[in-house]
């Protein structure tokens, strides 16, 4: 499963695996793909350094990357406290009422929220990069548009390729104009933040728009046959995220959430602003229903919504309040029916890819 891009990066298979879990990212790299560690959950630089140290020890010298979230435009002089002060009391009351309706306990006195979205703030993302650039990362990906020009320049000075996600050909052209090296065409089916164009339409549009830049197909991909389809549409690889959530190496720390993912069908997700303020596909729950209810106050824009719900999400996760418990995940969740190791998932992907190629060769009379 080699392409020009995978060969350039020195990986056996053109499978790029995004995950917030170091053990999963390292296992993807060891399996012959390209593991990409999501940095958004790291508020402290020393925590990221600790996990990058671990990655160094568990990737067998093979390449890996880092995914950050930072806006292309900088807002000067605005702190997290300033942003917190912008949250209306009506929305705080709505969160408290929703949690009370479902009997969600308070955190223990003095216990800090375990889930913060401070990684969405530019100053935090920059501090993450200050740490990451001391490691031999081979790819820097940004989930929120093109990174600032100085960040692109810093990465290129270190020989690091820069990628960004795009939900339309117009967005992809912005990335090309910004001097990026790779565009990830992420379709509507994907978990997390998505646009409104499905992968089958989006991938060839982006490939044509940014040629000759390499494109990775993303969104709803979780089988080898789908990988073959993405490559047939002109992509030089695929970007997979949701499929790793139910692997044995994933650190969800919630049996209830894992069970919900394994039981969910492809129609059990919703594209909602409930988590971050931007449309993000996630499991449909009583929490997403509450925020999408027209009778409620509605979600706030990013980053206000993420700061507003941070403690609530921590409480829901800690106490595993099943009706409210969810996570970002794509429509591929319907294929995630068992817990397997990363290597087993990889083996399934490569076998499916071979089946698809054999099928096309038979159709074309090359068998």
């Amino acid at each position: 499963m080699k392409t020009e891009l995978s060969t350039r990066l020195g990986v056996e298979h053109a499978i790029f695996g995004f995950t917030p879990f170091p053990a999963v990212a390292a296992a993807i790299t060891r399996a012959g793909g390209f593991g990409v560690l999501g940095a958004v959950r790291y508020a402290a630089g020393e925590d990221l350094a600790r996990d990058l140290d671990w990655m160094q020890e568990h990737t067998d010298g093979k390449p890996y990357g880092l995914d950050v979230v930072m806006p292309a435009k900088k807002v000067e002089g605005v702190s997290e406290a300033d942003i917190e002060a912008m949250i209306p009391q009506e929305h705080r009351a709505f969160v408290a009422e929703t949690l009370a309706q479902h009997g969600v306990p308070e955190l223990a006195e003095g216990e800090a929220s375990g889930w913060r979205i401070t990684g969405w703030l530019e100053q935090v993302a920059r501090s993450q990069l200050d740490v990451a650039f001391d490691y031999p990362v081979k790819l820097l990906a940004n989930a929120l548009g093109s990174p600032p020009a100085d960040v692109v320049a810093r990465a290129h000075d270190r020989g690091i390729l820069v990628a960004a996600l795009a939900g339309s050909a117009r967005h992809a052209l912005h990335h090309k104009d910004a001097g990026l090296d790779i565009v990830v065409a992420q379709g509507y089916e994907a978990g997390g933040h998505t646009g409104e164009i499905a992968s089958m339409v989006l991938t060839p549009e982006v490939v044509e728009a940014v040629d000759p830049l390499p494109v990775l197909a993303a969104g709803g991909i979780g089988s080898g046959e789908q990988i073959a389809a993405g490559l047939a549409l002109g992509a030089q690889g695929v970007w997979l995220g949701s499929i790793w959530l139910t692997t044995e190496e994933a650190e969800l720390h919630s049996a209830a959430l894992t069970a919900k993912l394994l039981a969910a069908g492809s129609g059990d997700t919703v594209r909602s602003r409930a988590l971050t303020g931007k449309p993000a596909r996630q499991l449909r729950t009583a929490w997403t229903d509450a925020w999408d209810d027209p009778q409620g106050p509605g979600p706030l824009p990013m980053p206000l919504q993420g700061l507003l719900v941070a403690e609530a999400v921590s409480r829901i996760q800690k106490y595993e309040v099943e009706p409210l418990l969810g996570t970002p995940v794509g429509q591929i969740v319907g294929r995630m029916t068992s817990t397997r190791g990363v290597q087993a998932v990889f083996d399934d992907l490569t076998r499916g890819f071979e089946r698809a190629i054999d099928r096309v060769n038979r159709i074309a009379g090359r068998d």
Side-chain angles (χ1 to χ4, degrees):
M1 209 183 298
K2 284 185 177 293
T3 65
E4 183 181 341
L5 179 60
S6 66
T7 300
R8 181 180 180 185
L9 285 167
V11 295
E12 182 181 359
H13 300 297
I15 298 174
F16 293 71
F18 163 79
T19 173
F21 307 122
V24 176
I28 292 168
T29 287
R30 290 197 307 273
F34 191 96
V36 181
L37 178 65
V40 71
R41 68 192 182 101
Y42 294 97
E46 58 267 24
D47 292 339
L48 178 59
R50 176 202 63 213
D51 283 355
L52 289 177
D53 284 338
W54 189 93
M55 291 273 295
Q56 280 291 105
E57 296 172 3
H58 293 83
T59 46
D60 297 341
K62 297 178 179 180
Y64 61 90
L66 190 75
D67 179 278
V68 298
V69 180
M70 61 191 314
K73 296 181 179 179
K74 186 175 182 178
V75 179
E76 299 283 357
V78 179
S79 67
E80 183 178 339
D82 294 330
I83 298 172
E84 288 264 17
M86 300 177 189
I87 298 173
Q89 185 57 40
E90 174 192 15
H91 285 75
R92 295 188 185 278
F94 181 75
V95 170
E97 179 184 349
T98 304
L99 296 178
Q101 286 174 352
H102 291 272
V104 183
E106 298 276 355
L107 295 176
E109 185 175 351
E111 181 179 358
S113 168
W115 185 90
R116 294 293 285 171
I117 202 159
T118 50
W120 298 101
L121 303 176
E122 184 186 356
Q123 61 267 32
V124 176
R126 284 184 176 274
S127 70
Q128 294 167 349
L129 292 179
D130 289 339
V131 171
F133 283 151
D134 287 334
Y135 292 82
V137 298
K138 299 300 182 184
L139 174 69
L140 173 65
N142 190 38
L144 204 62
S146 301
D150 68 297
V151 170
V152 177
R154 286 179 68 191
H156 284 167
D157 286 346
R158 290 163 173 79
I160 300 171
L161 299 183
V162 182
L165 275 62
S168 70
R170 177 173 58 85
H171 291 155
L173 282 170
H174 288 322
H175 299 335
K176 182 178 182 180
D177 292 342
L180 272 59
D181 307 288
I182 301 167
V183 175
V184 181
Q186 181 169 272
Y188 173 83
E189 309 95 323
H193 296 113
T194 72
E196 299 181 352
I197 304 173
S199 298
M200 185 64 74
V201 174
L202 178 66
T203 302
E205 284 187 353
V206 171
V207 168
E208 181 177 354
V210 302
D211 184 65
L213 285 188
V215 172
L216 300 178
I221 300 175
S223 73
E225 288 83 356
Q226 291 171 308
I227 294 173
L231 298 185
L233 292 172
Q236 286 200 33
V238 292
W239 178 274
L240 308 184
S242 296
I243 196 71
W244 315 111
L245 286 173
T246 53
T247 57
E248 293 168 353
E249 293 88 346
E251 303 163 29
L252 284 180
H253 301 304
S254 171
L257 180 54
T258 299
K260 290 187 76 170
L261 287 168
L262 295 176
S266 57
D268 292 329
T269 67
V270 64
R271 191 165 164 269
S272 170
R273 298 177 184 267
L275 188 60
T276 69
K278 282 185 175 292
R281 186 170 298 285
Q282 54 203 282
L283 281 180
R284 181 178 180 179
T285 65
W287 180 255
T288 61
D289 287 347
W291 283 105
D292 294 337
D293 187 342
Q295 302 300 314
L300 295 167
M302 179 186 281
L304 298 180
Q305 182 71 12
L307 292 172
L308 168 66
V309 305
E311 182 180 321
V313 171
S314 285
R315 290 165 59 186
I316 292 166
Q317 292 176 345
K318 175 178 180 178
Y319 299 110
E320 297 190 318
V321 183
E322 198 276 339
L324 302 175
L325 188 62
T327 185
V329 68
Q331 292 179 329
I332 197 63
V333 70
R335 291 184 63 94
M336 296 156 52
T337 57
S338 64
T339 300
R340 299 177 293 165
V342 167
Q343 183 64 62
V345 173
F346 236 88
D347 292 343
D348 189 51
L349 293 174
T350 53
R351 284 193 296 265
F353 179 80
E354 291 170 355
R355 286 195 300 269
I357 298 302
D358 288 345
R359 186 180 303 121
V360 171
N361 282 335
R362 288 196 299 273
I363 293 171
R366 299 190 186 101
D367 189 6

